Amino acid sequence: MLNERHAADRALLQALADLPQEHVPDLLALADEVRAANCGNGVAVEVLYNAKKGGCSEDCNFCSQSARFATDVEPEPLSSVEGFIDAARDAYERGAAEFCIVVAVRGPSAKLLDRVCMAVPLIKQHYPLTVAVSLGILREDQLSKLKAAGVDKVNHNLETSRRYFPSVCTTHSYDERWQTCQLVKKFDFELCCGGIIGMGETLEDRIDFLTSLQELQPDEVPVNFLNPRPGTPFGERSLVEPTEALRFVAMARLALPGALIRFAGGREVTLQGLQDLGMRSGASGLVLGNYLTTAGRQDQDDFAMLERLGFEVLA
Ligand code: SF4
C-alpha cells in the first residue's frame, strides 16, 4: 500500500483512476501530503520563452505552431542572442527561478543550436536562473554542446501513452522521443518530461503514460491540459473536467513522489476557480503565464495564491 516515499504501482494507479468521484477530495489531500513530505513547502516557478515561433514541420495534433494547420500563429524567426538575454531578464524580474528556452522545431539546426549555446552562458553570467531548453529531438553531439554551454535541464515530453501517441503525431515516433529522453539522462542533464491530458486518451492511456514516466524517472513532470486551439485537429475537443484534471495531478504525485510536478499550459481554462485546490493536489511548481501560444493569468494572482496557501517561492 501507499506510504509517502513509495511510488504507486500500476494496480494502485488503476484503483485511483477508478476511485468514485466522492473520494477524489481524499486522494487530493493524500497527494498534497506526499508532496509536502517529499518536496517540502517550496514551489518552483518557471517562465517559458518561445524563441522561434510557429512554422514547425511536425504534425502534433494539439499544436498551433505546426506549419501543417491553419491557425492564428504567425511564424517568427529565431530570436537574436540579445532577445534571449532580454527574455531571461524579464523572467528573473518576474520572480522565476527557472527559464526555459523553447523552439518550434523537430530538432535544432546547427545555426539554432549555436545561437542557444551562445546565449546560455551569457544568461547564466547575468542571472541566477536554472536554464532549461526544449529543442525537440536531440542527438548526442548536440547534447554535448548544450552541456558545454551550461544548460541545466532539458525538456522533452512523451505527451501521452505509447499506444495513443500515433493518434497525436505521425511525423515522429514515441521511440524517437523516448531515445532523446534517455540521452538527456545519459548526459546528466535534469530531465523534464511530461505531457498533455485531454487529447482523447483513455484512463488506461493515462496510467500507461505514468508508468512510462516511472521508467524514465524524470526530475520534472510538466502537466498540461489540452486548451483546444482553433485550426488544429484537436481544436474541437472539450476541456478536461476539473476534477479529472486534479485526479491526474494527484496520481502523478503518487506515481512519482519525489518529482517536481509542474502545472503548465491549460490550467487556467481547465481549473478556472479551482487554482488554489490545484496547488493542494500534489503539484510543486507552476509555469507563469504566458505560455507558448496562449495567455495565462496575471503573475500577481499566482504569487498571491502561493502566499495565501503558505507556499514558499523557491529562488
Ligand atoms: S509540439 Fe513541438 S514538434 Fe510538435 S508541432 Fe508543435 S512545435 Fe512542432
Side-chain angles (χ1 to χ4, degrees), residues 52 54-67 69 102-107 134 136 156 159 169 171-172 177 196 292:
K52 186 220 153 275
C56 182
S57 61
E58 304 306 284
D59 72 350
C60 307
N61 282 334
F62 57 84
C63 181
S64 58
Q65 299 201 75
S66 169
F69 313 138
V102 186
V103 291
V105 295
R106 174 188 171 87
S134 184
H156 199 57
E159 305 298 13
C169 174
T171 48
H172 58 267
R177 285 185 174 254
I196 306 177
L292 299 174

Side-chain angles (χ1 to χ4, degrees), residues 120 124 129-132 147 150-154 188-191:
V120 169
K124 298 198 75 159
L129 291 163
T130 295
V131 177
K147 193 79 195 174
V151 167
D152 300 297
K153 184 183 282 190
V154 178
D188 208 23
F189 292 98
E190 288 181 58
L191 172 63

Side-chain angles (χ1 to χ4, degrees), residues 3 18 25 42 44 86 91 112 119 121 165 183 187 190 195 208 214 216 257 273 288 299:
N3 74 31
D18 294 338
D86 287 349
L112 190 155
F165 188 81
L183 288 177
F187 277 78
E190 288 181 58
D208 286 348
Q214 285 182 316
L216 277 177
L288 291 179
D299 292 357

